[in-house]
Amino acid sequence: MNPFCKFLLSMFKIGCIGFGGGSALIPVMEREFIGEDKLDKKEHFEKDILIASLTPGALPVELAASLGWRNFGAKGMILAATIMALPGVAASLLLLTCLTRFRERIGSLMNLLTTLVSFFIIWLIIRYIRKVCRQCRSISRKFYRRAVLVMIGVFALSCGKYLYRLLGIDGKPPIVLSTFHILIFALAAIIGVNVIRGLRNARRADKTFTPPVLTSSRSISDLLIWLVFLVLLTIPGMILAVRFDLAGYLSFLARGTVSVLMSFGGGDAYLAVADGLFVEAAIISSDAFYGDIVAVANILPGSILCKALTAIGYYYGISVTGNIPGGLAFALGGFGCSVAVSCLVFGIIFHLYERFSGFRSMQTISHYIGPIICGLLGTVSLGLLVPVFH
């Protein structure tokens, strides 16, 4: 078989068996592609893992794109990322379509499945929080105490609406701070501090330091390719949106892009981001998000980010156009955002990482973003309990 076709077939196979999230797929991809007489070298793949772990987005999609780019150029990059994400996304849309059309027949089964999945996700969230706590404790006791305070503070600022619904309290909580504002402020502060620190360290290490720029024609062409990819996948939804709600569709795409940029911490952490950007903005209802999308995204293989953002576009498209084809057109835009933005950011950080080592200080982002995500995941846990007890 042609090496390129064999590579794509392997990516499709991994996409079909990709249960357990991006981290669980790392050893699978390494066994398939890395080593002597195989596609790539271990040191290259380890660098990909490091950079993918430092950047937001769908980790398995980013790794697939990097492997494809390094070994087969632009066509390998695009097709590998798309094929890695496609099986889970297609299965999610198929299941959601069946749920939309035959809810009365399978509604009770989905309610049971939703309840089981909700408690399973809460268990995963607890494991994630414990892991972050261990990581914070390994840094220092002082940082651990500070991290716990951050978790509690973020949870207190974001949990009000779900806590009131669980307790059956009417009205609005006294403190109403959206997840969106918490994440924007936190990420802006963290990234700003670390970029300044990286620039300062680089200047101290090299008196002839010049700020990094993407001078490589290869790197610039890669970014343009992903921008074109994103535009092409949003055109079908754009055509329909002109007739129905162009401003709303553009807002969905903008929020989808922001949600990918905020998606530190893996797929489960993305649920907290999506809640703040889409549920709080009434783009999708809380019942549809936690009752349908979260359940479906967690029982099928593939990136939770790609599946969730595509499914949100699907439900939003149905609500705007009133039909399933419209939902699929909007879903294509969500899929384009999830893949293109993930790979675009990964490409930028990859080339900056190679250009100067000061950006390695961005590793500290994960130290601070972890506790913030944990606080938001506490709110997600309450959101998962609402449809179970009401």
Side-chain angles (χ1 to χ4, degrees):
M1 182 184 293
N2 180 286
F4 183 55
C5 294
K6 183 179 179 181
F7 169 71
L8 296 181
L9 183 61
S10 296
M11 282 295 175
F12 180 76
K13 180 180 69 175
I14 294 172
C16 290
I17 63 172
F19 296 93
S23 298
L25 285 181
I26 290 175
V28 179
M29 297 180 73
E30 182 171 354
R31 185 168 58 249
E32 188 75 21
F33 300 116
I34 308 303
E36 293 184 9
D37 302 324
K38 290 189 179 181
L39 187 67
D40 215 334
K41 296 180 180 180
K42 186 174 179 63
E43 56 265 30
H44 294 161
F45 189 61
E46 288 178 344
K47 182 168 69 172
D48 289 343
I49 294 171
L50 172 62
I51 297 172
S53 300
L54 293 177
T55 56
L59 186 143
V61 173
E62 294 171 344
L63 295 179
S66 189
L67 280 168
W69 168 78
R70 193 160 46 245
N71 294 281
F72 300 102
K75 66 177 182 179
M77 176 180 69
I78 296 173
L79 291 176
T82 303
I83 290 174
M84 173 63 76
L86 193 58
V89 167
S92 297
L93 290 178
L94 179 61
L95 185 53
L96 289 170
T97 301
C98 294
L99 183 61
T100 302
R101 300 193 65 177
F102 307 109
R103 185 177 295 275
E104 293 183 0
R105 298 181 184 179
I106 63 175
S108 58
L109 177 62
M110 282 302 300
N111 288 336
L112 175 61
L113 183 63
T114 298
T115 301
L116 294 175
V117 170
S118 294
F119 283 110
F120 176 69
I121 295 172
I122 291 172
W123 176 70
L124 291 177
I125 287 173
I126 292 172
R127 287 186 60 189
Y128 177 84
I129 293 174
R130 290 178 61 186
K131 182 184 75 172
V132 171
C133 287
R134 287 196 298 269
Q135 291 172 344
C136 294
R137 191 182 290 114
S138 68
I139 296 173
S140 70
R141 290 186 177 181
K142 181 178 180 180
F143 181 81
Y144 171 69
R145 290 193 294 267
R146 195 159 55 230
V148 171
L149 289 176
V150 169
M151 293 179 198
I152 295 173
V154 170
F155 176 72
L157 291 172
S158 61
C159 74
K161 60 177 182 177
Y162 294 128
L163 186 60
Y164 270 45
R165 290 180 63 182
L166 278 173
L167 297 176
I169 301 174
D170 294 328
K172 293 183 178 181
I175 300 177
V176 181
L177 190 58
S178 71
T179 305
F180 176 79
H181 291 115
I182 292 173
L183 285 168
I184 284 289
F185 175 77
L187 286 177
I190 293 169
I191 292 174
V193 169
N194 281 278
V195 168
I196 293 172
R197 185 178 298 168
L199 295 172
R200 184 183 303 159
N201 291 341
R203 286 192 178 95
R204 290 174 179 174
D206 182 3
K207 298 301 183 181
T208 63
F209 169 80
T210 56
V213 292
L214 294 178
T215 56
S216 167
S217 59
R218 179 70 178 269
S219 63
I220 294 174
S221 67
D222 292 343
L223 301 184
L224 292 176
I225 287 170
W226 284 119
L227 289 175
V228 171
F229 176 89
L230 177 59
V231 170
L232 290 176
L233 266 63
T234 57
I235 286 176
M238 197 78 70
I239 294 172
L240 288 174
V242 170
R243 177 182 173 187
F244 291 97
D245 183 12
L246 180 59
Y249 182 64
L250 293 175
S251 175
F252 163 70
L253 294 178
R255 288 175 179 271
T257 299
V258 172
S259 73
V260 177
L261 296 175
M262 291 180 171
S263 60
F264 292 91
D268 295 321
Y270 179 75
L271 300 178
V273 177
D275 178 285
L277 288 168
F278 299 108
V279 178
E280 290 181 5
I283 291 175
I284 186 170
S285 69
S286 176
D287 291 340
F289 181 70
Y290 287 106
D292 295 349
I293 293 175
V294 171
V296 168
N298 279 280
I299 63 174
L300 294 173
S303 163
I304 288 180
L305 187 158
C306 295
K307 291 180 291 186
L309 186 52
T310 303
I312 291 169
Y314 177 71
Y315 271 64
Y316 176 57
I318 291 178
S319 69
V320 171
T321 65
N323 55 63
I324 290 177
L328 292 174
F330 278 46
L332 191 61
F335 178 73
C337 278
S338 67
V339 174
V341 178
S342 293
C343 295
L344 193 150
V345 175
F346 175 86
I348 292 173
I349 300 301
F350 184 93
H351 291 288
L352 290 174
Y353 182 94
E354 288 195 324
R355 184 161 177 81
F356 79 111
S357 60
F359 266 76
R360 294 180 184 177
S361 65
M362 288 184 66
Q363 294 179 23
T364 56
I365 292 177
S366 61
H367 297 163
Y368 289 94
I369 201 64
I372 295 170
I373 293 296
C374 286
L376 294 174
L377 284 174
T379 299
V380 168
S381 298
L382 291 184
L384 290 167
L385 292 174
V386 169
V388 173
F389 292 103
H390 288 78

